[in-house]
């Protein structure tokens, strides 16, 4: 009986279509990446070749005019940051250089956090980054979620489009990890969990603790974080959500409970980690370039890992008995219970999967984006809601497709509107969707009630 | 002992702050939405921010006080219309997501650097740039007045004048809501909260009634925002999501769907937070929790209190459980 109910909902055919779309997007982004002509660097941008090596970096949110001095091997170069806080310098001798940030040139109220003098060894033909962290910086650059490799060029060109598409794909994949859980929870329990965002933040902050504070290997860190965040999901359902379901709390009350939990968690994070942004793995990210697209290696494997995990989740939902039961509960809890499915066990499992995926997403966001702070999750929550609403509330695959669209929208919005508005664009998109198709792409009309 | 007296003083001083009054006005507005109509508005801070910008930008542009107040009211109305049209026909949690998203859009636009010359970007607008038209209305002479253990300027930034005006407005709006809710219009509104389809079957235009309620609550939110920034400054990030959640906490604490619940809840909310912070500060040594951490601890307690309140006493202090419908 369950099987027939499911066959109507997500036949293998529609699954193939979804994966086809996903694959198509991947292929498209990489053909765009390799097919476009090589980037023409602006005259003042350092290009590493056989005779030169480049140092570069971005000091977020300080704007132009901050001076850095690069000393060593008989050379002494003074460079200034541009309006985005980016700087770069060319040297012609390999060796060790001392890079000094002139603190006097920082804007008022901004102070150096960590070392203002850093040493870097460089070989000709290579680019080396130097990161100076600052406190008190304001403006767009200081915001979270600004992708690190963003090209500063203004206006439209194909190279920039390719870069943004890849950035959008990356954001979309990481967002998908988080929002699939949100959608599964909604599907099985009807709850729009506002505290799901804090699960993402928790993952990021735990990742920082294990990888940077305790110095563990990043892959080991990911495993530990996923286990720990999954455990928080188990405990939450056991201590809070299951008793509340039994108590017969209405969904609106439950939503407000998740808001209370979100508030409490946010300030708990602040208590332990402070209000500043932490970045996982502070060492200089190694970058590589395919055509016009520059990415860090961390970004690449984070995207790869996301794709693998998303496929595994998809296979779990479609191919395993428990996965089918999960979708059955999502479809109709009473019918599922009548067919002998242990609904409470499935919901417990969904909480564990959802929080573990959110934790994974948090670690990777902390790794590839600008870092994680106590309100990072909250900033992403609305993007997640936009993604699951776009895909259709409660449908896991809808959440995946919705996330990719939202990720792309956020990164491609830069072409049309100023950078400050890129998140706002995604939220406007959310409202427009509700106007024209409130049930989302994969949702059924009855869900809108 | 002195420390405890200071905590008590801080508690009472916080209760009568003009920003507390502004918060209470916004809570009364939210109560019209949620308590009486059953609308799940999660973006009340967005209404406040729109009102704050409406007043301050209009004043800076040279409008007199009353015209700027009208701009505030118009801004709240338009924002409510924009929000209501796509969502009032949908189920409650869609309204929640859209309102929270719209409030965020307002905040993001407000803090965008391209609008620096109008909204001041992320730095916001300092209070002295728009406060004077209001202070000029003060009938009080210069100087200070002491009343009970409070001693404030008569007219200054945070003086008696704005306190009296703001708290008078709280009373006026509460009475207004009371009058509205016992009118035929109010009965329809409460009917919509209880059973939308039943009201529809009586031939009432549910959408129009919901929209009117959204506008009334939204305009109250906008006026709340205006009085929130008059003694302080316009800071887009101060009127973000968490502000909405705090208003919810205060409203539920006092009692949703009651007239005085939001007012009592707002005053108690700030007093209790100061009490928690002060008590923890005194009892727990700095080595375990420093001053900043005690403040964060008090906010954690606010979150926990919100959870416990909704679970164990959803009707709050003054509320009647039968009056409250959480099934929106």
């Amino acid at each position: 009986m369950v099987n027939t109910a499911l066959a109507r909902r997500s036949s293998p055919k529609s699954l193939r279509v979804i994966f086809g779309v996903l694959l198509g997007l991947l292929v498209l982004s990489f053909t765009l990446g390799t097919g476009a002509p090589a980037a023409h660097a602006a005259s003042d941008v350092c290009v590493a070749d056989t005779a030169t090596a480049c140092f570069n970096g971005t000091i977020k949110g300080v704007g132009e005019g901050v001076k850095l001095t690069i000393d060593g091997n008989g050379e002494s170069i003074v460079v200034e940051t541009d309006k985005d806080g980016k700087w770069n310098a060319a040297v012609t001798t390999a060796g060790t250089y001392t890079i000094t940030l002139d603190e006097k040139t920082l804007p008022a109220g901004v102070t150096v956090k960590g070392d203002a003098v850093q040493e870097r060894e460089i070989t000709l033909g290579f680019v080396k980054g130097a990161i100076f962290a600052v406190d008190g910086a304001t403006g767009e650059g200081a915001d979270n979620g600004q992708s690190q490799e963003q090209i500063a060029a203004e206006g439209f060109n194909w190279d920039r489009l390719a870069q943004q598409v890849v950035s959008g794909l990356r954001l979309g994949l990481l967002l998908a990890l988080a929002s699939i859980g949100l959608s599964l929870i909604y599907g099985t329990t009807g709850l729009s969990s506002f505290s799901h965002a804090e699960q993402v933040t928790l993952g990021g902050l735990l990742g920082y603790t294990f990888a940077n504070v305790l110095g563990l290997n990043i892959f080991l860190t990911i495993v530990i974080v996923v286990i720990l965040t999954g455990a928080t999901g188990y405990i939450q359902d056991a201590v809070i959500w299951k008793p509340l379901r039994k108590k017969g709390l209405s969904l609106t009350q439950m939503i407000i409970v998740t808001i209370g939990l979100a508030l409490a968690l946010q300030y708990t994070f602040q208590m332990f980690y402070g209000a500043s942004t932490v970045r996982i793995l502070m060492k200089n990210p190694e970058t590589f370039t395919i055509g016009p697209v520059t990415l860090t290696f961390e970004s690449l494997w984070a995207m790869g890992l996301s794709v693998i995990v998303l496929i595994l989740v998809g296979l779990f939902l479609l191919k395993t008995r428990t996965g089918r039961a999960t979708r059955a509960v999502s479809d109709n809890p009473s019918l599922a219970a009548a067919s002998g499915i242990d609904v409470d066990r499935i919901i417990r499992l969904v909480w564990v999967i959802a929080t573990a995926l959110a934790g994974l997403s948090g670690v990777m966001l902390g790794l590839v984006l600008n870092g994680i702070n106590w309100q990072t999750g909250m900033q992403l929550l609305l993007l997640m809601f936009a993604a699951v609403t776009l895909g259709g509330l409660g449908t896991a695959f809808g959440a995946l497709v919705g996330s990719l669209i939202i990720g792309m929208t956020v990164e491609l919005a830069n072409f049309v509107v100023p950078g400050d508005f890129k998140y706002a664009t995604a939220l406007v998109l959310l409202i427009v969707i509700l106007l024209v198709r409130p049930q989302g792409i994969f949702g059924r009309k009855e869900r809108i009630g | 002992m002195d420390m405890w007296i200071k905590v008590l003083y801080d508690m009472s001083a916080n209760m009568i702050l003009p920003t507390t009054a502004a918060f209470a006005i916004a809570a009364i507005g939210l109560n019209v939405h949620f308590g009486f109509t059953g609308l799940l508005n999660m973006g009340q801070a967005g209404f406040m921010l729109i009102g704050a910008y409406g007043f301050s930008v209009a004043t800076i542009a040279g409008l007199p006080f009353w015209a700027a107040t009208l701009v505030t009211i118009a801004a709240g109305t338009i924002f409510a219309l924009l929000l209501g049209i796509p969502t009032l026909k949908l189920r409650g949690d869609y309204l929640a997501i859209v309102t929270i998203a719209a409030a965020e859009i307002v905040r993001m636009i407000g803090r965008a650097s391209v609008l620096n010359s109008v909204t001041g970007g992320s730095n916001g607008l300092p209070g002295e740039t728009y406060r004077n038209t209001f202070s000029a209305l003060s009938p009080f002479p210069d100087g200070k007045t002491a009343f009970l253990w409070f001693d404030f300027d008569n007219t200054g930034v945070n003086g008696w004048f704005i306190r009296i005006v703001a708290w008078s407005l709280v009373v006026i709006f509460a009475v207004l809501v009371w009058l509205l809710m016992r009118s035929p219009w109010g009965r329809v509104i409460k009917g919509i909260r209880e059973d939308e389809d039943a009201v529809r079957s009586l031939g009432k235009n549910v959408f129009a009634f919901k929209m009117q309620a959204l506008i009334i609550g939204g305009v109250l939110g906008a006026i709340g925002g205006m009085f929130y920034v008059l003694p302080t400054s316009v800071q887009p990030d101060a009127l973000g999501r968490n502000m909405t959640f705090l208003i919810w906490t205060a409203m539920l604490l006092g009692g949703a769907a009651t007239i005085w619940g939001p007012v009592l809840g707002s005053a108690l909310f700030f007093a209790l937070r100061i009490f928690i912070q002060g008590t923890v500060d005194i009892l727990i040594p700095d080595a375990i929790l420093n001053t900043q951490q005690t403040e964060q601890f008090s906010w954690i307690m606010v979150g926990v209190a919100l959870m416990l309140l909704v679970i164990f006493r959803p009707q709050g202090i003054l509320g009647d459980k039968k009056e409250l419908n959480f099934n929106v």
Side-chain angles (χ1 to χ4, degrees):
Chain A
M1 202 159 79
V2 176
N3 273 332
T4 47
L6 292 179
R8 196 185 68 241
R9 195 136 165 260
S10 286
S11 61
K13 192 181 163 209
S14 67
L15 179 75
R16 272 206 297 278
V17 172
I18 294 159
F19 278 115
V21 169
L22 183 61
L23 199 68
L25 279 173
L26 268 170
V27 171
L28 181 71
S29 60
F30 282 109
T31 38
L32 271 176
T34 46
H40 293 291
S43 58
D44 58 338
V45 173
C46 171
V47 180
D49 56 32
T50 48
T52 39
C54 303
F55 287 109
N56 65 20
T58 306
I59 309 170
K60 292 285 180 186
V62 295
E64 58 186 332
V66 177
K67 286 197 171 72
L68 295 110
T69 315
I70 293 101
D71 273 318
N73 303 300
E75 290 189 68
S76 178
I77 305 159
V78 178
V79 291
E80 283 190 13
T81 55
D82 68 8
K83 66 178 175 53
D84 294 315
K86 289 176 191 290
W87 59 272
N88 65 78
V91 293
T92 50
T93 319
T96 307
Y97 289 83
T98 312
I99 306 169
T100 313
L101 173 67
D102 188 353
E103 292 179 56
K104 289 193 286 290
T105 58
L106 284 170
V110 179
T111 51
V112 177
K113 192 173 63 180
D115 292 333
V117 181
Q118 299 186 11
E119 283 203 351
R120 289 284 181 279
E121 200 181 337
I122 201 163
T123 318
L124 291 181
F126 283 83
V127 179
K128 204 100 198 222
I131 292 171
F132 293 93
V134 288
D135 260 337
T138 51
E140 192 210 337
D143 257 342
N144 281 297
Q146 189 83 4
S147 64
Q148 229 218 342
E149 306 86 0
Q150 213 161 62
I151 294 176
E154 291 296 326
F156 181 85
N157 63 58
W158 288 104
D159 294 354
R160 192 165 162 240
L161 178 70
Q163 177 78 45
Q164 296 296 85
V165 166
V166 174
S167 297
L169 190 67
R170 184 182 61 186
L171 180 64
L173 285 170
L174 297 185
L175 206 57
L177 282 180
S179 52
I180 278 189
L182 188 67
S183 193
L184 280 175
I185 291 174
Y186 181 87
T188 48
T189 65
L191 176 67
S192 308
S193 172
F194 280 70
S195 59
H196 199 65
E198 274 56 50
Q199 297 292 337
V200 177
T201 315
L202 179 69
L205 291 176
L206 284 177
Y208 167 78
T209 310
F210 286 107
N212 285 29
V213 180
L214 301 177
L216 294 186
N217 173 288
I218 185 66
F219 292 100
L220 187 62
T221 302
I222 287 178
V223 173
I224 295 173
V225 169
V226 167
I227 292 172
L228 282 179
T229 50
T232 63
Y234 186 94
I235 295 167
Q236 254 181 61
D237 188 52
V239 176
I240 307 177
W241 309 119
K242 190 180 171 192
L244 290 188
R245 280 198 303 277
K246 293 281 171 276
K247 197 174 147 72
L249 232 64
S250 74
L251 283 177
T252 309
Q253 276 171 294
M254 297 267 260
I255 290 177
I256 300 172
V257 174
T258 65
I259 288 174
L261 181 64
L263 268 181
L265 286 175
Q266 277 177 30
Y267 286 101
T268 310
F269 296 148
Q270 228 190 79
M271 207 158 127
F272 286 104
Y273 293 89
S276 58
T277 302
V278 297
R279 204 180 134 76
I280 300 175
L281 293 180
M282 293 290 272
K283 75 175 174 60
N284 313 311
E286 301 280 337
T287 61
F288 71 98
T289 307
I290 314 167
V293 179
T294 308
L295 274 182
T296 57
F297 280 108
E298 281 92 348
S299 289
L300 187 73
W301 67 251
M303 286 162 80
L305 190 58
S306 309
V307 171
I308 293 169
V309 171
L310 289 171
I311 290 173
L312 287 178
V313 172
L315 288 177
F316 162 75
L317 286 175
L318 290 172
K319 299 289 176 193
T320 67
R321 216 181 145 71
T322 321
R324 274 198 280 259
T326 306
R327 285 185 302 140
V329 173
S330 215
D331 213 36
N332 187 336
S334 316
L335 184 64
S339 336
I341 293 172
D342 183 349
V343 174
D344 273 329
R345 195 181 68 87
I346 295 295
I347 292 176
R348 178 73 47 90
L349 182 73
V350 162
W351 272 101
V352 172
I353 293 177
T355 49
L357 288 177
L360 177 64
S361 169
V363 180
M364 296 204 286
L365 282 168
L367 199 61
V368 302
L369 294 185
N370 231 357
I372 288 274
N373 66 23
W374 62 284
Q375 53 179 0
T376 302
M378 207 51 196
Q379 285 163 348
L380 287 171
L381 180 70
L382 289 166
L383 296 186
M384 289 186 226
F385 272 132
V388 294
T389 312
L390 176 59
L393 270 173
T395 58
F397 298 107
L400 172 61
V401 176
S403 298
L404 290 174
I405 296 174
I406 293 293
M408 290 282 177
T409 309
V410 168
E411 294 293 347
L412 294 179
N414 279 358
F415 286 110
V416 192
V417 294
D420 293 349
F421 293 145
K422 62 180 190 174
Y423 289 106
T425 313
L427 302 184
V428 171
L429 184 66
L430 166 69
I431 294 174
V432 172
I433 298 156
L434 285 175
L435 259 178
V436 294
R437 197 180 157 84
Q439 71 272 36
I441 299 173
F442 296 96
R444 286 170 306 165
K445 203 147 194 179
E446 63 192 82
R447 285 187 183 277
I448 63 171
Chain B
M1 214 45 218
D2 280 356
M3 292 191 291
W4 288 105
I5 291 168
K6 189 181 175 305
V7 171
L8 284 176
Y9 173 80
D10 283 348
M11 280 167 68
S12 58
N14 260 277
M15 279 172 92
I16 64 159
L17 271 181
T19 45
T20 306
F23 191 87
I25 296 174
I28 293 173
L30 182 64
N31 194 30
V32 171
H33 290 157
F34 175 73
F36 292 112
T37 323
L39 300 173
L40 212 51
N41 173 15
M42 286 290 165
Q44 190 67 344
F47 282 101
M48 290 178 80
L49 191 55
I50 269 271
Y53 276 129
F55 179 79
S56 54
V57 172
T59 306
I60 291 169
L63 291 186
F65 178 77
W66 300 111
T69 308
L70 283 179
V71 170
T72 302
I73 293 169
T77 310
I78 294 167
F79 192 53
L81 282 171
L82 283 178
L83 281 183
I85 291 168
T87 53
L88 285 183
K89 284 178 177 162
L90 299 172
R91 205 184 42 203
D93 47 356
Y94 281 95
L95 181 69
I97 294 173
V98 169
T99 44
I100 198 173
E104 277 299 283
I105 293 173
V106 173
R107 189 177 69 88
M108 284 169 186
I109 291 176
R111 74 197 299 285
S113 50
V114 284
L115 289 174
N116 249 332
S117 56
V118 185
T119 63
S122 54
N123 294 325
L125 297 163
E128 57 270 18
T129 52
Y130 55 81
R131 173 184 299 144
N132 294 335
T133 55
F134 177 75
S135 305
L137 295 175
S138 171
F140 300 140
D142 285 346
K144 296 179 95 168
T145 306
F147 177 71
L148 296 177
W149 51 88
F150 300 115
D151 188 14
F152 303 120
D153 285 341
N154 284 340
T155 307
V157 173
N158 220 337
W160 286 112
F161 178 55
I162 185 161
R163 276 164 213 260
I164 290 168
V165 172
W167 281 104
S168 306
L169 281 176
V170 170
V171 174
I172 291 169
F173 288 138
V175 170
L176 208 66
V177 169
W178 177 68
L179 288 173
L180 268 177
M181 287 310 152
R182 61 199 288 275
S183 71
W185 184 85
R187 284 196 290 278
V188 177
I189 284 294
K190 283 192 266 186
I192 291 174
R193 178 190 67 197
E194 299 301 327
D195 190 340
E196 210 179 301
D197 290 328
V199 173
R200 201 172 278 127
S201 75
L202 295 173
K204 304 285 183 196
N205 184 348
V206 168
F207 181 77
F209 276 94
K210 277 187 180 176
M211 184 64 94
Q212 288 155 8
L214 190 67
I215 290 172
I216 291 171
V219 167
L220 288 181
I223 294 173
M226 171 184 150
F227 277 90
Y228 192 82
V229 298
L230 268 175
T232 54
S233 57
V234 182
Q235 293 284 350
D237 293 345
L239 292 171
R241 288 159 303 220
N242 283 357
M243 176 56 100
T244 303
F245 300 157
L246 302 185
I247 299 171
W248 269 89
T249 312
M251 180 192 69
L252 291 171
L253 176 65
T258 63
I259 300 299
W260 296 103
V263 182
L264 176 72
S266 303
L268 269 186
F269 174 83
F270 286 102
L272 283 177
R273 198 191 71 73
I274 295 289
F275 175 74
I276 296 171
Q277 189 179 337
T279 310
V280 173
D281 216 10
I282 293 167
L283 295 183
I284 297 179
D286 266 8
I288 301 173
L289 286 178
N290 61 35
T291 312
Q292 208 184 356
Q293 283 170 324
T294 53
E295 189 182 339
Q296 284 150 2
F297 179 78
S298 71
W299 289 113
I300 295 174
M301 288 299 113
V302 168
V304 174
L306 177 59
M307 291 166 73
L308 296 178
L309 199 61
V310 176
I311 296 170
F312 295 108
R313 200 174 163 83
Q315 72 271 38
I317 296 170
L318 299 177
D320 173 2
K321 208 162 188 177
K322 282 184 229 134
E323 266 281 300
L324 199 62
N325 185 4
F326 269 108
N327 293 311
V328 287

